[in-house]
């Protein structure tokens, strides 16, 4: 069901529309970090809002724009508003959420999609909102002449203009030009840059530079701020991005119950044909077997940790190596049979081969809408490369399976899909009926298949992946260390053979042991003085504390 079909199902046609009261009810449901962000935005015309994935950045953008529209309505002026992102699918989601509040507030708006995607929404708007906000119009184009004409027609009709654009097409917004009359001389009132870390890409930055001087207020939203060692090439450039006006850490949001904490699961599947660590991701059987076993393992954990196991299904997001590997899984008879036998829904997205629902090709928007509508109780596997990584609201993802190493930004964005609260948990938390300890979905599971090439713990990339997740999300290191490691025991109590056997066993039972030990050592080093004498004194003090009178 689309967002607009939900409106059609729940709203009767009416000749009058609510205005400020609807907005007031909307912001009354904001969380404290969202309220703080909106307050900071009111005080500055340019800045960065850094919030973890799953904490409601889109809600802040929508509230910010609608508030400005309502303010302009008091003095009879109009505005132009832009929400930009790097993906067409995300643009559609952003426009839906903004239009929904605009029209419920009775604000006269027209919508312009600067991109190639088309969406059949106008029929529902006309049927249910025409008497409230007049003749709503929508346009899809990448042509500067069309943009200019549509903007002029919009102001002539006495309506606000909402534009969503990809960063790829952002330079086309220069066609908006200067404005007069009910529009002031700045072409765009507010621009919200979603997943703004993508804007540092050279082509995107160039497109933005062609337009940004025409924009009165600019706000950059991301969970993964990118800075560059070369000053001026990343988000440290305050001339373009402004200062960081709001920043909340993932651990703060976890402690507040706004997102769930990740937990790491490692898996190793024996493949008799190849030795450990060299299984190719082109091996169809091992690809399918890995996803199936990862799903079964994570489902068991999801159920075991849940306060209400019957109320939650497992939804596994699989980050594939590439389109060809994704296609191998999609076409695997072994995988298809298992999914059908176990009633597991399958959604697949690939720019090369298209979008699929339960192994049948379909329109991408239809696949996304169907996927978004699945219930918390259903089981599902979502196959993608990176199209679902950033910004897209996915349905109660519980687990993430990495079939490749990801850079830091992609890792946190992908894992962030699973950190969001389930629908029921969010409702319960916000109404005060639940604490985070009572959540149905208590954790997000990151699954690392150590049997693939470059995915075992000897890989520097894999070590960094694990250490990034542990450090960023505050996962207790005790989860990765053998309990016997915390028991006091004198060295002379064990002979060398016994100690060697225990070390080998610990390596098998706790495959991340060495990685976590390196992480702990690294964290200790961070706090040590850099000068020689200070370092010597600190180490001597540390040894004395560790060894007591024997030091």
């Amino acid at each position: 069901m689309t967002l607009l079909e939900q409106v059609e199902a729940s709203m009767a046609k009416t000749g009058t529309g609510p205005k400020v009261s609807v907005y007031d009810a909307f912001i009354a449901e904001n969380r404290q970090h969202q309220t703080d962000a909106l307050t900071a935005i009111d005080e500055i015309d340019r800045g960065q809002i850094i919030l973890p994935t799953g904490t409601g950045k889109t809600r802040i953008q929508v509230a910010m724009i609608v508030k400005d529209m309502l303010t302009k309505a008091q003095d009879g002026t109009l505005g132009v508003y832009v929400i930009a992102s790097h993906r067409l699918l995300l643009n559609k989601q952003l426009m839906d959420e903004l239009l929904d509040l605009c029209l419920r507030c009775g604000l006269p708006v027209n919508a312009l999609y600067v991109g190639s995607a088309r969406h059949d929404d106008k029929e529902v708007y006309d049927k249910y909102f025409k008497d409230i906000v007049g003749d709503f119009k929508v346009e899809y184009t990448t042509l500067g002449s069309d943009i200019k004409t549509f903007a002029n027609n919009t102001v002539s009709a006495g309506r606000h203009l909402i534009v969503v654009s990809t960063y790829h097409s952002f330079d086309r917004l220069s066609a908006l030009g200067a404005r007069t009359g009910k529009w002031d001389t700045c072409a765009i009132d507010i621009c919200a840059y979603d997943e703004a870390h993508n804007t540092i890409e050279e082509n995107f930055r160039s497109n933005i530079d062609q337009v940004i001087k025409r924009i009165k207020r600019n706000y950059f939203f991301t969970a993964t701020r990118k800075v560059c060692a070369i000053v001026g090439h990343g988000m440290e450039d305050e001339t373009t991005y402004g200062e960081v006006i709001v920043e909340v850490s993932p651990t703060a949001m976890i402690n507040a119950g706004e997102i769930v904490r990740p937990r790491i699961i490692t898996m190793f599947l024996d493949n008799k044909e190849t030795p450990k660590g060299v299984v190719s991701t082109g091996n169809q059987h091992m690809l399918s077997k890995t996803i199936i076993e990862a799903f079964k393992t994570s489902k068991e954990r999801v159920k075991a940790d849940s306060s209400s196991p019957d109320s939650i299904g497992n939804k596994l997001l699989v980050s594939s190596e590439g389109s060809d590997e994704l296609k191998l899984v999609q076409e695997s008879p072994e995988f298809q049979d298992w999914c059908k036998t176990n009633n597991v829904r399958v959604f697949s997205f690939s720019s090369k081969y298209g979008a699929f629902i339960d192994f049948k090709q379909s329109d991408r928007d239809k696949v996304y809408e169907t996927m978004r509508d699945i219930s918390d109780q259903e089981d599902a596997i979502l196959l993608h490369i990176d199209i679902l990584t950033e910004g897209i609201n996915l349905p109660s993802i519980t687990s993430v399976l990495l079939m490749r190493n990801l850079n830091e930004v992609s890792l946190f964005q992908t894992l962030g899909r699973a950190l969001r609260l389930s629908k029921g948990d969010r409702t319960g938390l916000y109404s005060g009926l639940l604490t985070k300890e009572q959540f149905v979905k208590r954790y997000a599971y990151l699954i690392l298949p150590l049997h693939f090439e470059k995915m075992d713990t000897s890989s520097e990339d894999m070590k960094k992946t694990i250490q990034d997740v542990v450090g960023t999300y505050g996962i207790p290191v005790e989860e990765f260390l053998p309990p016997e490691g915390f028991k006091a025991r004198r060295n002379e109590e064990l002979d060398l053979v016994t100690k060697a056997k225990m070390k080998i066993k610990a390596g098998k039972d706790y495959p991340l042991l060495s990685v976590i030990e390196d992480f702990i050592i690294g964290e200790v080093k961070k706090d040590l003085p850099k000068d020689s004498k200070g370092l010597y004194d600190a180490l001597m003090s540390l040894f004395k504390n560790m060894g007591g009178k024997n030091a």
Side-chain angles (χ1 to χ4, degrees):
M1 181 183 291
T2 67
L3 184 64
L4 297 175
E5 286 170 340
Q6 294 176 39
V7 171
E8 186 173 26
S10 63
M11 177 177 176
K13 188 172 180 180
T14 176
T16 59
K19 294 184 181 296
V20 177
S21 61
V22 174
Y23 176 78
D24 288 342
F26 180 83
I27 62 170
E29 296 180 358
N30 282 349
R31 307 300 287 172
Q32 187 59 52
H33 65 280
Q34 295 167 333
T35 299
D36 292 344
L38 288 168
T39 300
I41 285 168
D42 282 342
E43 297 173 354
I44 196 166
D45 289 340
R46 185 182 305 239
Q48 304 176 43
I49 295 89
I50 317 299
L51 294 172
T53 297
T55 56
K57 292 186 288 295
T58 301
R59 186 179 181 87
I60 298 169
Q61 297 171 34
V62 168
M64 168 183 72
I65 290 172
V66 172
K67 179 180 180 180
D68 194 75
M69 289 183 181
L70 290 170
T71 300
K72 283 182 167 55
Q74 295 177 0
D75 56 18
T77 57
L78 300 170
V80 174
Y81 307 92
V82 175
I83 294 183
S85 79
H86 62 307
R87 295 197 186 281
L88 293 170
L89 190 59
L90 179 53
N91 278 357
K92 163 65 173 167
Q93 175 182 296
L94 295 169
M95 180 67 96
D96 272 354
E97 295 195 31
L98 178 54
L99 280 178
D100 175 65
L101 184 58
C102 286
L103 297 175
R104 287 192 291 114
C105 286
L107 291 165
V109 296
N110 282 346
L112 172 63
Y113 292 84
V114 180
S116 58
R118 299 187 66 86
H119 312 287
D120 299 325
D121 295 338
K122 190 174 186 304
E123 180 181 353
V124 177
Y125 285 125
D126 284 348
K127 183 175 180 180
Y128 287 91
F129 291 104
K130 189 168 184 178
D131 291 342
I132 302 173
V133 296
D135 189 17
F136 168 78
K137 294 187 182 298
V138 61
E139 177 71 24
Y140 308 87
T141 186
T142 56
L143 298 177
S145 57
D146 290 345
I147 293 171
K148 184 175 182 179
T149 298
F150 188 76
N152 289 337
N153 291 341
T154 295
V155 69
S156 297
R159 308 176 73 82
H160 299 286
L161 177 61
I162 301 173
V163 183
V164 290
S165 172
T166 59
Y167 295 129
H168 183 269
S169 300
F170 199 87
D171 58 315
R172 316 296 170 85
L173 300 184
S174 59
L176 288 170
R179 305 176 310 190
T180 57
K182 289 188 176 182
W183 288 2
D184 63 32
T185 56
C186 194
I188 298 168
D189 291 273
I190 297 176
C191 182
Y193 303 81
D194 202 46
E195 305 298 345
H197 55 277
N198 291 287
T199 62
I200 74 167
E201 293 185 22
E202 185 175 355
N203 291 339
F204 292 168
R205 179 69 177 268
S206 175
N207 289 344
I208 291 170
D209 286 345
Q210 295 180 52
V211 184
I212 197 167
K213 291 182 180 179
R214 301 172 183 264
I215 305 173
K216 184 184 296 184
R217 299 167 62 190
N218 294 272
Y219 303 101
F220 299 84
F221 294 78
T222 183
T224 47
R225 183 172 181 255
K226 275 188 178 181
V227 296
C228 185
I230 304 175
V231 177
H233 289 257
M235 295 182 72
E236 76 288 340
D237 176 16
E238 293 189 1
T239 302
T240 296
Y241 295 96
E243 63 186 57
V244 175
I245 59 175
V246 175
E247 184 170 16
V248 183
S249 71
T251 52
M253 290 288 92
I254 289 170
N255 293 336
E258 299 290 344
I259 55 177
V260 300
R261 191 184 303 279
R263 304 185 88 167
I264 296 176
I265 300 174
T266 58
M267 61 183 298
F268 176 77
L269 301 181
D270 289 321
N271 179 25
K272 296 179 180 179
E273 299 173 2
T274 55
K276 176 184 176 182
V278 294
V279 178
S280 168
T281 50
N283 184 321
Q284 186 182 56
H285 168 67
M286 288 300 289
L287 282 171
S288 300
K289 185 178 179 182
T290 297
I291 295 173
I292 291 170
E293 292 303 317
F295 184 90
K296 291 193 293 187
T297 300
S298 56
K299 181 174 181 176
E300 183 178 331
R301 293 287 295 273
V302 166
K303 298 283 190 181
D305 288 328
S306 176
S307 64
S308 179
D310 293 337
S311 300
I312 188 169
N314 190 31
K315 295 176 181 63
L316 175 67
L317 178 65
V318 180
S319 183
S320 303
E321 176 76 17
S323 294
D324 292 336
E325 287 76 16
L326 190 151
K327 185 171 184 285
L328 279 175
V329 175
Q330 172 83 7
E331 295 180 348
S332 165
E334 175 187 11
F335 182 66
Q336 291 184 14
D337 290 345
W338 182 85
C339 291
K340 291 172 182 176
T341 300
N342 290 277
N343 297 315
V344 177
R345 304 292 305 276
V346 180
F347 301 88
S348 174
F349 292 85
S350 164
S351 57
K352 184 175 182 180
Y353 297 110
F356 293 77
I357 302 175
D358 297 327
F359 309 105
K360 296 179 181 178
Q361 191 159 18
S362 182
D363 173 76
R364 178 173 291 184
D365 282 351
K366 177 66 175 175
V367 176
Y368 172 62
E369 289 161 5
T370 304
M371 177 182 68
R372 190 175 60 184
D373 288 340
I374 62 178
S375 69
D376 285 351
Q377 293 78 23
E378 290 182 88
D379 289 332
I381 294 174
L382 286 60
L383 304 170
H384 82 124
I385 302 163
D386 56 16
I387 196 169
L388 299 179
T389 297
E390 299 178 23
I392 304 299
N393 291 334
L394 301 178
S396 298
I397 299 298
T398 52
S399 314
V400 172
L401 171 63
L402 297 188
M403 305 290 272
R404 57 184 172 130
N405 282 303
L406 301 176
N407 62 44
E408 184 177 9
V409 170
S410 295
L411 171 65
F412 292 150
Q413 289 286 345
T414 300
L415 182 56
R417 302 306 102 201
L419 299 183
R420 298 174 184 270
L421 303 186
S422 70
K423 301 168 190 174
D425 288 341
R426 187 178 298 279
T427 300
L429 177 71
Y430 291 4
S431 64
L433 298 176
L434 288 180
T435 65
K436 61 182 181 179
E437 289 77 20
Q438 297 170 311
F439 283 169
V440 173
K441 172 189 165 184
R442 294 194 61 198
Y443 300 102
Y445 300 91
L446 176 64
I447 307 169
L448 306 175
L450 304 182
H451 47 278
F452 283 123
E453 293 171 326
K454 301 179 181 178
M455 294 289 286
D456 70 304
T457 53
S458 65
S459 161
E460 290 302 317
D461 288 338
M462 178 55 72
K463 287 182 181 179
K464 188 174 188 309
T465 293
I466 296 165
Q467 293 172 358
D468 282 346
V469 173
V470 171
T472 300
Y473 295 103
I475 302 177
V477 295
E478 292 90 329
E479 292 191 12
F480 309 99
L481 304 177
E484 56 269 22
F486 297 97
K487 295 178 181 177
R489 178 179 284 162
R490 296 174 63 86
N491 287 338
E492 55 266 28
E493 291 180 7
L494 298 176
D495 59 48
L496 293 177
V497 174
T498 302
K499 286 196 294 183
K501 288 181 177 178
M502 287 180 64
K503 186 172 182 180
I504 293 171
K505 183 179 186 302
K508 291 180 179 178
D509 293 343
Y510 298 88
L512 303 185
L513 177 59
S514 62
V515 179
I516 297 303
E517 287 176 341
D518 289 346
F519 170 74
I520 295 171
I521 293 170
E523 291 299 297
V524 171
K525 284 182 177 179
K526 286 181 182 179
D527 296 329
L528 293 176
K530 303 302 179 185
D531 64 289
S532 299
K533 186 177 186 309
L535 177 60
Y536 175 82
D537 291 342
L539 288 174
M540 290 302 101
S541 175
L542 179 63
F543 293 152
K544 185 175 181 180
N545 291 334
M546 292 172 61
K549 63 182 181 181
N550 294 324

